[in-house]
Amino acid sequence: MKIYNTLTKRKEEFVPIEEGKVRMYVCGPTVYNLIHIGNARPMIVFDTVRRYMEYKGFDVNYVMNFTDVDDKIIKAAIAEGVDSSVISERYIAECKKDMAALNVKEATKHPKATEEICGMLDMIATLIEKGHAYVAADGTVYFRTRSFKEYGKLSHKNLDDLQGGNRSLLVSGEDQKEDSLDFVLWKPKKEGEPFWESAYCDGRPGWHIECSVMSKKYLGDEIDIHAGGEDLVFPHHENEIAQSEAANGKQFARYWMHNAFLNIDNKKMSKSLGNFFTVRDISEKYDLQVLRFFMLSAHYRSPLNFSADLMEAAKNGLERIVTSATNLKYLLDQAQNVDETDEEKEAFTKVAEYVKKFEEAMEDDFNTADAISAIFELVKYVNTNASAANSKQYLNDLYTEFKTLADIMGIIIEKEEELLDADIEKLIQDRQDARKAKDFAKADAIRNELLEKGIILEDTREGVKWKRA
Ligand code: AMP
Ligand code: ZN
């Protein structure tokens, strides 16, 4: 399996740190609003990478954080006159709903920055101790960028070029830096902002330290894959590398994967241009399966243009796949239990060829566009051959392969039976029992299971209420 590594600018054979395991960290959204369709691209792309790795038999530990303390969240909280946690919790819940509708699997862990402050202060203390960070007079802690000799290795930037281009970054309050390249690890609180006590000042963390710490805590000092949108290469991921490698003394991530941007009608998406869409906006017109399919129709490192025409094409393509699978399932359910004929056995080698094509595409840096072409070849084969088949065995094998490939893409070809109200009530009761027994992991697992099926729980004073998303 080959992965394009931003660090080396080459496609490299994927070799995990630990055999059979993948430790993967994806930078998640800042939760101050509904996620937009650009944010959905890394979610869908890296969920598909994860699904393929799982198909290959890897045990994938997949972490995606939520940045729940940030200027934009604080601004939104002030505007509404509420605590910033009200804003972040609201939009984490909304983001999880969108992810479920996009068929993005829950991460193994979705850490939140505000719950990891202790770890951040620990790493900051280590960096100060090792001479990689310093405390300014006002209590701000800065990373001493030049102390990390490999700074710039991910974005392939040269420190001296950066120095020249970076002077304008000396904004007010940052004039206490030793060097304009230094960046914030911890900053003093401002009036009305959430803050935590520390040895340096009452304050809050800088953005970059969050990911270094959450990755270390949930995946260890060395991880296999770190991923996000290409805008994160510099400075966010460069700074993460500097912090983590300076603090831990080990290579942080072996493979760095970055998706290219999603544009709208060939322009950058922006509120001021009036071409800004949330995932929720799109859900009013399309099943979000269509958005997912559209995103995977291009290679993740190619810029992708969103337009009404391309969405219509994606809708039609997806319909062709689902219709073919539904017909195949019908034939399978009707089939008599006749043994496979020799011709059918022979014909199945053709199917193996499509599967091979699919795998080759995915193994070449996750070329989902070519993988989808292989699925279409399978669709064509099914549409021409399945109705003439006799044996249940043959149709079953065919359907199983079809479903496996669709699952890797996150395409749902068979809608799960809707949960009945009674089943939901039963699961809610199980969750309450688990909570009483202080088995919070189980309680959370039940909540997530319900969420994946589109059931949202709300804990109120009158008890647990639920609704369908
Ligand atoms: P943010 O909340 O801005 O930190 O973004 C969360 C994730 O979405 C990051 O991985 C970004 O790189 C990614 N992202 C933001 N805008 C776009 C876009 N237009 N196209 C693709 N990815 C994006
Ligand atoms: Zn990050």
Side-chain angles (χ1 to χ4, degrees), residues 25-28 65 67 207-212 214 226-228 232 236-237 240 256:
Y25 187 98
V26 181
C27 289
N65 69 299
T67 296
W207 172 36
H208 317 299
I209 193 78
E210 280 179 25
C211 291
S212 282
M214 292 189 265
H226 195 117
L232 300 186
H236 185 50
H237 287 164
E240 280 188 41
W256 287 86

Side-chain angles (χ1 to χ4, degrees), residues 27-30 36 38-39 41-42 207 228-229 231-232 259-262 269:
C27 289
T30 307
H36 59 65
N39 299 140
R41 191 171 190 195
W207 172 36
D231 58 323
L232 300 186
N259 64 272
F261 256 41
L262 177 82
M269 177 165 68

Side-chain angles (χ1 to χ4, degrees), residues 91-360:
Y91 290 114
I92 286 173
E94 297 299 340
C95 176
K96 286 192 173 178
K97 272 194 237 170
D98 286 338
M99 284 169 60
L102 290 164
N103 203 18
V104 169
K105 285 168 51 156
E106 277 266 320
T108 320
K109 176 79 192 167
H110 281 291
K112 299 178 204 166
T114 54
E115 291 174 1
E116 308 291 344
I117 304 288
C118 274
M120 297 185 210
L121 288 170
D122 282 348
M123 190 176 278
I124 292 171
T126 305
L127 289 170
I128 294 175
E129 212 175 275
K130 292 190 168 181
H132 289 294
Y134 57 93
V135 190
D138 68 350
T140 306
V141 186
Y142 291 104
F143 186 87
R144 189 174 275 129
T145 300
R146 281 183 186 275
S147 74
F148 183 66
K149 294 291 169 248
E150 293 171 273
Y151 193 84
K153 68 177 172 181
L154 180 72
S155 50
H156 307 282
K157 287 181 194 291
N158 175 302
L159 271 182
D160 294 317
D161 293 346
L162 282 172
Q163 186 84 62
N166 234 20
R167 281 187 215 286
S168 58
L169 290 184
L170 275 178
V171 290
S172 69
E174 296 210 343
D175 48 357
Q176 304 175 28
K177 285 183 186 183
E178 288 177 0
D179 187 298
S180 67
L181 289 176
D182 297 348
F183 59 89
V184 170
L185 299 174
W186 186 262
K187 56 185 164 193
K189 69 169 180 188
K190 288 198 199 114
E191 193 56 36
E193 289 187 353
F195 68 90
W196 290 264
E197 288 175 4
S198 79
Y200 325 110
C201 62
D202 287 351
R204 60 184 169 102
W207 172 36
H208 317 299
I209 193 78
E210 280 179 25
C211 291
S212 282
V213 167
M214 292 189 265
S215 179
K216 178 183 172 80
K217 176 159 170 192
Y218 295 102
L219 299 170
D221 288 356
E222 293 173 283
I223 71 168
D224 295 295
I225 302 173
H226 195 117
E230 65 185 1
D231 58 323
L232 300 186
V233 174
F234 186 85
H236 185 50
H237 287 164
E238 196 69 71
N239 291 355
E240 280 188 41
I241 291 179
Q243 295 163 158
S244 295
E245 299 193 358
N248 305 330
K250 293 186 184 134
Q251 182 176 1
F252 179 35
R254 296 210 175 168
Y255 303 86
W256 287 86
M257 295 180 75
H258 294 99
N259 64 272
F261 256 41
L262 177 82
N263 298 313
I264 316 281
D265 292 323
N266 296 311
K267 289 189 208 82
K268 189 170 187 272
M269 177 165 68
S270 87
K271 283 196 175 136
S272 57
L273 287 176
N275 64 358
F276 181 93
F277 300 108
T278 63
V279 168
R280 208 57 64 81
D281 292 334
I282 303 305
S283 75
E284 282 168 18
K285 184 142 186 237
Y286 294 99
D287 184 326
L288 289 179
Q289 276 273 293
V290 177
L291 185 60
R292 178 174 182 119
F293 189 68
F294 160 77
M295 295 273 189
L296 296 176
S297 64
H299 188 266
Y300 74 93
R301 282 191 293 115
S302 306
L304 177 58
N305 192 42
F306 179 92
S307 70
D309 286 353
L310 291 171
M311 278 296 280
E312 282 304 313
K315 183 170 174 241
N316 294 336
L318 183 63
E319 260 168 26
R320 246 171 76 209
I321 294 173
V322 175
T323 307
S324 172
T326 311
N327 291 342
L328 177 58
K329 182 73 172 35
Y330 176 81
L331 292 170
L332 170 61
D333 291 342
Q334 303 299 312
Q336 301 302 315
N337 214 347
V338 181
D339 285 341
E340 236 173 338
T341 60
D342 285 344
E343 289 88 65
E344 283 174 345
K345 277 190 197 142
E346 174 69 27
F348 208 75
T349 55
K350 199 82 202 134
V351 176
E353 237 174 71
Y354 304 135
V355 174
K356 188 161 169 264
K357 261 194 185 170
F358 176 95
E359 288 185 356
E360 277 170 2

